[in-house]
Amino acid sequence: MKKRYKNVFHGMFYLKKHWGQLIFVLLLSVVTVSLSLVPVELFRRLIDVAIPTKDLQLVLMIVGAVFSIHLILLVINYFQDIIMTKMNLKITRKIQIDFFSGLLWLTPKKRARFKQGQLMERMIDDTGEVVDSTFDLILSPILDIISLLIVLVYMFVVSPRLTFVALAFVPVFVLMTLPVNRLIRKKYTAVKKKYAEIYSIVQERLNQMSQTIKFKKTKQETAYLDKHLKNCYKVEYNYEQFSAKLGGVISLISDIAPYAILIYAAYEIIQGRFQIGTLIAFSMLIPRFFGPIQELVGKELEFQTLEVTAERVFGILGKKKK
């Protein structure tokens, strides 16, 4: 495992100087997840208590509290985004400098194996993608797990029975997603290779532009580029099409789960064991429950696609002399 994903771990090495900021962002995220559940409980009390008792003062207090919480969440999310953006740019710049430095250490023979367009794509595009994906694969799973646990605890508080119905759909998400992740990785690798070829072709044609115009070969060169672009887009379309089909299947399962919960909850309300506010509160929790599960299941795929991109960057850095 470590050997297979060594380039991913290499990317994580660049985060070591920013652990303090990452922990702070993580704490802010825990606060936002916890605060975001407060309006759910407030709406539950609004429907089950304030409206039936016709307590207008309580209604106004609940609405005002919900509005205030949303304002607080907006401020927290703003500062969180600013911190993450600043870290992202700093780390991306560091990797790009190291990448360029790594090229200088390559022997002329090894450097000749790479075309200029390919190196440009790796230095500009792939480095940014590595940083974005590394952030996502470190912070997001932690936040998803914390969010899932907080929401799950509150779901049991609201209704243990409905919670067990929701939990019954979790294995379906896992079994439907994990087996196809490796196939998607192969398709993603093919897309990256095609785009690298396009970068190289464009770079070469730009360098030869004066000769192309001089010898009146513009039509031939345009047709040549168009041919390669079509091949590239076919590969990318195949990748996107497959991903869309997978997403559609998972979305279908996501849609079935709330309906099953709704039918069961309606039965419980008819039997007098639930209040309508409980159903509404639980319906607000369903996306917060299945959302993190879908994210966590998808991380295995993101980890594999990150390894594809990271190898293109750190495969160069790894050749730098110690």
Side-chain angles (χ1 to χ4, degrees):
M1 175 72 176
K2 184 175 180 180
K3 183 178 180 181
R4 180 182 178 185
Y5 295 114
K6 63 178 181 179
N7 292 306
V8 175
F9 295 122
H10 194 162
M12 293 179 181
F13 171 80
Y14 282 86
L15 300 179
K16 69 176 185 178
K17 293 183 179 180
H18 302 273
W19 281 117
Q21 290 175 298
L22 289 172
I23 292 174
F24 180 67
V25 170
L26 181 62
L27 292 175
L28 285 180
S29 299
V30 172
V31 172
T32 57
V33 171
S34 302
L35 278 178
S36 66
L37 292 178
V38 176
V40 178
E41 179 62 24
L42 291 176
F43 277 120
R44 181 186 178 194
R45 294 177 183 273
L46 175 68
I47 295 171
D48 288 344
V49 179
I51 294 178
T53 59
K54 299 180 181 180
D55 191 338
L56 182 59
Q57 184 178 2
L58 182 57
V59 171
L60 294 175
M61 289 177 60
I62 290 175
V63 173
V66 171
F67 181 73
S68 299
I69 290 172
H70 281 302
L71 287 179
I72 294 172
L73 290 174
L74 283 174
V75 173
I76 294 175
N77 288 331
Y78 170 77
F79 284 107
Q80 186 176 2
D81 289 341
I82 291 297
I83 294 171
M84 290 297 296
T85 300
K86 191 173 182 179
M87 275 195 295
N88 188 306
L89 293 174
K90 284 184 177 180
I91 295 173
T92 301
R93 184 183 63 188
K94 174 61 176 171
I95 295 178
Q96 288 172 342
I97 292 298
D98 286 352
F99 183 90
F100 183 76
S101 177
L103 292 178
L104 300 178
W105 285 101
L106 290 177
T107 63
K109 182 178 179 181
K110 291 182 178 179
R111 195 181 302 119
R113 293 168 52 192
F114 301 97
K115 297 181 180 180
Q116 290 184 4
Q118 293 175 327
L119 295 176
M120 287 171 60
E121 186 203 17
R122 296 189 187 199
M123 181 174 175
I124 303 301
D125 293 346
D126 289 343
T127 51
E129 187 176 333
V130 165
V131 175
D132 290 339
S133 299
T134 301
F135 271 127
D136 189 49
L137 286 172
I138 289 179
L139 284 179
S140 293
I142 298 175
L143 294 176
D144 288 335
I145 292 173
I146 293 175
S147 175
L148 187 60
L149 291 176
I150 293 174
V151 171
L152 189 59
V153 169
Y154 182 61
M155 287 172 66
F156 272 109
V157 172
V158 173
S159 172
R161 294 180 181 180
L162 289 179
T163 303
F164 282 119
V165 175
L167 287 172
F169 286 89
V170 174
V172 181
F173 283 106
V174 178
L175 294 176
M176 287 297 298
T177 306
L178 291 182
V180 297
N181 281 352
R182 288 167 179 79
L183 179 58
I184 292 181
R185 183 196 182 203
K186 293 180 180 179
K187 294 179 179 294
Y188 181 77
T189 303
V191 170
K192 296 299 294 184
K193 289 181 178 179
K194 284 295 181 181
Y195 268 103
E197 291 176 7
I198 294 297
Y199 269 79
S200 298
I201 292 171
V202 171
Q203 176 68 28
E204 290 174 358
R205 267 48 193 179
L206 288 175
N207 290 337
Q208 299 172 7
M209 185 172 291
S210 59
Q211 295 295 318
T212 300
I213 296 173
K214 180 179 179 180
F215 292 102
K216 298 180 180 182
K217 294 183 177 181
T218 54
K219 290 185 178 180
Q220 295 93 318
E221 291 298 316
T222 301
Y224 180 78
L225 177 61
D226 185 54
K227 176 183 176 181
H228 283 275
L229 284 174
K230 285 181 179 178
N231 291 334
C232 179
Y233 294 156
K234 284 180 182 179
V235 174
E236 184 173 12
Y237 178 76
N238 180 267
Y239 166 74
E240 296 293 345
Q241 185 182 46
F242 185 83
S243 299
K245 289 179 180 178
L246 175 62
V249 173
I250 295 177
S251 296
L252 179 62
I253 299 172
S254 300
D255 292 337
I256 292 175
Y259 286 118
I261 294 171
L262 176 62
I263 293 173
Y264 180 76
Y267 171 78
E268 292 291 296
I269 291 173
I270 293 173
Q271 297 298 317
R273 290 190 284 263
F274 277 175
Q275 292 179 300
I276 297 178
T278 299
L279 172 58
I280 294 177
F282 207 87
S283 65
M284 295 172 68
L285 293 173
I286 291 175
R288 300 167 187 258
F289 175 69
F290 286 110
I293 292 176
Q294 286 181 265
E295 290 292 327
L296 287 170
V297 172
K299 291 306 172 193
E300 198 267 344
L301 169 61
E302 290 184 31
F303 205 75
Q304 292 190 48
T305 54
L306 172 58
E307 169 61 16
V308 174
T309 307
E311 195 280 331
R312 292 164 55 82
V313 174
F314 299 117
I316 298 291
L317 295 181
K319 296 177 176 63
K320 181 178 177 180
K321 292 183 179 180
K322 305 297 181 181

